[in-house]
Amino acid sequence: MEKFSKWRDSGTGIQPFLQPVPARTQQSAVASVFSVIKSYAVGPVASVVRLAALAAIAALDVVTAALGTLLVVPQIRRGYSRLTRSALARLALFIMGFHTIDAKTVSLRKGRRSTTNRQSAESGDVIVANHVSYIDILWLVARYNPVFVELDNASTRVRPVSMWTALRAPARATPALLPASEAQSLGSVVRDARVKRMGPVVVFPENATTNGRALLQLLPVFEDAANLDEKAKVYVMALKYPAQAFSPVYSLGNQFVHLFGVCAQIYNSLVVRMLDPEDCPRMKDAPALCDEGAEPVDIDDAVADRLMQLSRLRMTKLTAMDKRDFLTFYHKRAKGYRPTI
């Protein structure tokens, strides 16, 4: 669309903000009839049933979380939280049509095979990933039950947020700045997560969701020495949602309407590629932490390079602030729904 050409990356020609649209293909008469039945009969009914089930799961999560506060031993509380919340998140994914998830650990080195082995991200480690949907959050909770953070676009300080806040974050414009009283260094959040056994810390360095066609410029999260922790391991992963019809990717629009569309599909697909830990950059190699005489590594550049290779996506020159400007422009021309700015 020409009216959105301002947000088409000049280097790649990619527009990373508009929702993906299914490609138009010729269908046989039988396939066309099936598509109509799915879209206007089976799909909506299935979606209503699934949404009711998701509402029940959300209520159950609130109840189990409240019961967890009664546990006084931190280790037991953490184990209980991980068990219940991870199970509920996986059940929610199944209900939404993600019956199987293609998750593999891969190496960028030639000759090494992919494996389905779990990554060993532990409390106090850092997971860096691209961000294309609120469904990313559910998968990460199902797998790790981690700590989520929001990024300050200027200082790269962070603010820990709940799972529910992380789920709702893609539906609103990225805040330009975090309140100074709530912003803290990533290093302090990581150390706190390690001591309290809260799980790994998830960072989305793009700081906004895209339509999955390209990456936004990553914020230099590891440039500030205060965001580093030599004990923390960095894990890199890429998430994709292959779709021939309605896409689970969520970049803009009404989140509930999008969720209705996701639940109306017979099944949905999620592909997760996790980088072999041996190929991931190490915080202790950063200039501020590396041993004297050792060659320092720019962690941000290393993460960007690994993420591009892992996701097989090109990186644009657009940023989260461009996404914010795009949403303002987009909704000035749309009626009804407005994002939270």
Side-chain angles (χ1 to χ4, degrees):
M1 298 181 183
E2 289 300 321
K3 59 184 177 181
F4 301 125
S5 59
K6 177 181 176 181
W7 291 277
R8 185 179 297 279
D9 181 58
S10 59
T12 62
I14 297 173
Q15 215 291 3
F17 302 139
L18 290 172
Q19 278 292 116
V21 178
R24 294 183 179 181
T25 57
Q26 277 193 327
Q27 293 180 321
S28 65
V30 174
S32 297
V33 171
F34 178 78
S35 178
V36 170
I37 293 175
K38 182 181 80 71
S39 300
Y40 298 100
V42 176
V45 172
S47 186
V48 170
V49 173
R50 285 172 164 175
L51 287 173
L54 290 177
I57 289 175
L60 185 57
D61 179 75
V62 173
V63 172
T64 55
L67 292 175
T69 60
L70 301 178
L71 300 174
V72 295
V73 181
Q75 292 83 352
I76 296 178
R77 187 188 310 122
R78 166 62 186 169
Y80 168 84
S81 175
R82 177 165 188 171
L83 178 65
T84 55
R85 179 153 278 181
S86 295
L88 290 174
R90 188 64 191 92
L91 179 59
L93 287 169
F94 185 85
I95 289 172
M96 293 166 66
F98 295 92
H99 302 145
T100 59
I101 295 174
D102 181 9
K104 291 181 180 179
T105 299
V106 300
S107 175
L108 300 178
R109 303 178 189 180
K110 293 182 179 180
R112 300 191 66 177
R113 295 182 178 181
S114 301
T115 175
T116 55
N117 292 340
R118 286 179 176 271
Q119 272 192 308
S120 56
E122 300 177 348
S123 293
D125 290 334
V126 177
I127 295 175
V128 180
N130 65 321
H131 197 15
V132 289
S133 178
Y134 52 88
I135 300 167
D136 303 345
I137 306 300
L138 284 177
W139 183 84
L140 287 162
V141 170
R143 188 69 176 255
Y144 302 105
N145 193 22
V147 177
F148 296 101
V149 295
E150 283 185 332
L151 282 165
D152 185 294
N153 282 278
S155 67
T156 67
R157 294 280 165 153
V158 303
R159 171 175 61 182
V161 296
S162 68
M163 177 193 74
W164 291 105
T165 299
L167 283 169
R168 288 290 295 151
R172 59 183 176 83
T174 301
L177 300 171
L178 297 178
S181 59
E182 299 177 14
Q184 52 187 299
S185 69
L186 176 62
S188 64
V189 174
V190 165
R191 287 186 287 273
D192 192 47
R194 182 184 302 116
V195 171
K196 297 180 180 179
R197 306 296 299 170
M198 298 167 65
V201 178
V202 173
V203 177
F204 298 120
E206 293 173 285
N207 211 23
T209 55
T210 68
N211 58 18
R213 295 186 60 207
L215 298 170
L216 303 182
Q217 283 287 311
L218 309 187
L219 289 174
V221 178
F222 304 104
E223 185 177 66
D224 186 350
N227 285 341
L228 301 174
D229 183 278
E230 61 181 0
K231 294 182 179 179
K233 296 179 181 177
V234 178
Y235 293 86
V236 182
M237 64 179 59
L239 300 96
K240 288 187 175 183
Y241 297 86
Q244 295 181 343
F246 188 88
S247 176
V249 166
Y250 176 75
S251 181
L252 57 83
N254 187 294
Q255 191 175 24
F256 181 79
V257 171
H258 183 268
L259 178 59
F260 186 93
V262 171
C263 291
Q265 306 307 303
I266 296 175
Y267 68 90
N268 292 293
S269 299
L270 169 58
V271 175
V272 184
R273 291 294 176 260
M274 301 170 285
L275 187 60
D276 189 312
E278 293 184 10
D279 295 337
C280 292
R282 303 183 303 176
M283 278 203 199
K284 62 182 181 180
D285 292 334
L289 298 178
C290 69
D291 297 330
E292 187 176 351
E295 184 176 355
V297 175
D298 188 313
I299 305 300
D300 292 298
D301 285 348
V303 165
D305 179 67
R306 306 294 198 281
L307 190 55
M308 283 191 289
Q309 293 185 66
L310 192 62
S311 65
R312 297 185 179 180
L313 296 175
R314 289 182 287 177
M315 185 171 292
T316 67
K317 295 181 180 178
L318 300 172
T319 68
M321 291 297 93
D322 291 312
K323 170 77 179 285
R324 182 182 173 89
D325 294 340
F326 168 79
L327 288 176
T328 301
F329 179 85
Y330 180 88
H331 290 292
K332 278 183 179 179
R333 284 159 172 72
K335 295 180 180 180
Y337 173 76
R338 293 292 186 272
T340 302
I341 303 289

